[in-house]
Amino acid sequence: MDFTLSTRPGRIGTVVEVVGEVDMSTTPQLRDRLHEVAQGGARVVVVDLTGVGFLDSSGVGALVVAYKDLRERGGWLGLAGVSRPVRSVLSITSVDRVIGIFDTVRDAEEASAAAT
């Protein structure tokens, strides 16, 4: 499966949609995109992982770095559409205790409004 990233305005903030496997070869693209979005002034970012079936430790690291970056700027990061295998990785690494995981982008956006 090809790896693609797209960025669009959400109802609240910015949505970064990820499709494909997030591994050592694709993580730099994800990390750079999340950094660009934060540098561009986004305060609320939802990463839509609906199209992601695999996430390795490098991808987890990129999400944590983006979370910290946004938090330092007074922003918020949430994950939406997380598949069972990806959710397992986030649970094993305890990232799910720090970064909010939501069923849909809409659910994440509603949670961000309450959190910010």
Side-chain angles (χ1 to χ4, degrees):
M1 174 183 278
D2 290 334
F3 180 79
T4 60
L5 290 170
S6 61
T7 306
R8 69 178 189 274
R11 291 182 330 115
I12 302 170
T14 302
V15 177
V16 176
E17 183 178 3
V18 185
V19 176
E21 294 187 353
V22 180
D23 57 24
M24 287 182 10
S25 67
T26 58
T27 291
Q29 294 171 65
L30 175 60
R31 183 187 59 240
D32 291 349
R33 178 67 56 93
L34 292 171
H35 182 71
E36 289 169 12
V37 167
Q39 289 286 92
R43 307 257 313 166
V44 172
V45 177
V46 177
V47 181
D48 183 354
L49 297 172
T50 304
V52 175
F54 177 81
L55 175 79
D56 74 5
S57 60
S58 66
V60 170
L63 294 172
V64 170
V65 166
Y67 169 81
K68 289 179 178 181
D69 188 21
L70 282 161
R71 190 182 66 193
E72 288 172 3
R73 299 169 189 270
W76 184 91
L77 177 81
L79 308 177
V82 180
S83 67
R84 180 167 275 135
V86 172
R87 190 177 291 260
S88 292
V89 171
L90 296 172
S91 176
I92 289 167
T93 58
S94 297
V95 170
D96 62 344
R97 296 180 187 191
V98 178
I99 302 174
I101 297 176
F102 305 91
D103 290 336
T104 67
V105 169
R106 184 180 191 103
D107 291 344
E109 289 176 326
E110 289 173 1
S112 75
T116 54

